[in-house]
C-alpha cells in the first residue's frame, strides 16, 4: 500500500505543478479582465471592494477552492500513507499541502496578509515541482514488481 501511495504522491505533485500554473494564468486573466482596471476612474481609490465583488476572478477562485480544500487534504492523507523514505521529500510532501491550505486563507487577511498570497503560490509551486522532480528521479518510490512470495533460492 505504501509503494502505491508513493506513486500517487509523485503524480499528484506533478498534477499540482500544472494546475498551479493554470491558477496563475486564471488570476492574471481575471485581474486584467476587470472592467474597473480598464476604467479605473469609475472605481473609488480603495478598489478592493471592486475586485472582491467582480466575477472575472471566479474561475481562479473555483479552481483554488478545489486545490486547497479537498485537494490539499487528499494530498496530505496520501503523503502520510506513503511516508516517503527520504526525510527531505517526506517533510516537503507534508508541508506543501499545509501551505496549499493556508493559501485559501491569505486573500481574506486584508492588504498585507493578502500580499503573501502570490508569494505563497510561488513557494508552493516550487515545493511541488521539487517533489515531483525528486520522486521521478528516486527509484525507491516506484512500486516494485510483485514476487511469488517465496524466498529466493540460494
Amino acid at each position: 500500500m505504501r509503494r502505491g501511495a508513493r506513486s500517487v504522491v509523485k503524480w499528484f505533485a506533478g498534477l499540482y505543478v500544472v494546475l498551479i500554473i493554470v491558477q496563475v494564468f486564471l488570476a492574471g486573466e481575471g485581474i486584467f479582465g476587470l472592467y474597473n482596471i480598464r476604467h479605473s476612474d469609475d472605481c473609488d481609490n480603495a478598489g478592493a471592494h471592486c475586485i472582491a465583488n467582480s466575477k472575472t476572478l471566479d474561475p481562479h477562485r473555483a479552481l483554488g477552492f478545489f486545490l486547497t480544500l479537498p485537494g490539499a487534504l487528499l494530498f496530505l492523507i496520501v503523503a502520510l500513507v506513503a511516508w516517503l523514505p527520504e526525510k527531505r521529500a517526506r517533510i516537503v510532501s507534508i508541508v506543501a499541502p499545509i501551505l496549499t491550505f493556508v493559501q485559501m486563507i491569505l486573500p481574506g487577511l486584508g492588504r498585507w496578509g493578502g500580499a503573501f498570497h502570490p508569494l505563497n503560490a510561488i513557494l508552493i509551486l516550487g515545493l511541488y515541482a521539487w517533489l515531483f522532480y525528486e520522486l521521478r528521479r528516486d527509484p525507491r518510490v516506484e512500486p516494485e514488481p510483485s514476487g511469488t512470495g517465496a524466498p529466493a533460492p540460494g
Side-chain angles (χ1 to χ4, degrees), residues 52-131:
N53 295 329
S54 174
K55 300 287 184 210
T56 63
L57 285 171
D58 283 353
H60 175 76
R61 290 180 184 126
L63 180 57
F65 168 77
F66 287 108
L67 287 174
T68 56
L69 198 55
L73 183 61
L74 284 172
F75 194 99
L76 182 60
I77 290 168
V78 173
L80 291 173
V81 170
W83 202 254
L84 299 171
E86 184 195 283
K87 185 177 181 181
R88 185 177 294 161
R90 182 172 54 244
I91 291 170
V92 169
S93 72
I94 293 169
V95 168
I98 292 171
L99 287 176
T100 304
F101 182 77
V102 168
Q103 185 72 356
M104 177 177 61
I105 299 167
L106 291 174
L109 296 180
R111 179 179 176 184
W112 294 104
F116 287 101
H117 185 71
L119 295 176
N120 193 42
I122 293 168
L123 175 62
I124 292 168
L125 177 61
L127 289 174
Y128 283 118
W130 179 86
L131 186 62

Side-chain angles (χ1 to χ4, degrees), residues 13-81:
L15 178 64
Y16 257 80
V17 170
V18 172
L19 291 176
I20 290 171
I21 291 169
V22 170
Q23 254 313 68
V24 171
F25 171 79
L26 291 174
E29 190 278 330
I31 290 170
F32 290 105
L34 286 170
Y35 177 82
N36 59 340
I37 295 293
R38 286 181 273 150
H39 303 88
S40 60
D41 294 335
D42 297 342
C43 194
D44 66 10
N45 290 336
H49 75 279
C50 295
I51 293 171
N53 295 329
S54 174
K55 300 287 184 210
T56 63
L57 285 171
D58 283 353
H60 175 76
R61 290 180 184 126
L63 180 57
F65 168 77
F66 287 108
L67 287 174
T68 56
L69 198 55
L73 183 61
L74 284 172
F75 194 99
L76 182 60
I77 290 168
V78 173
L80 291 173
V81 170

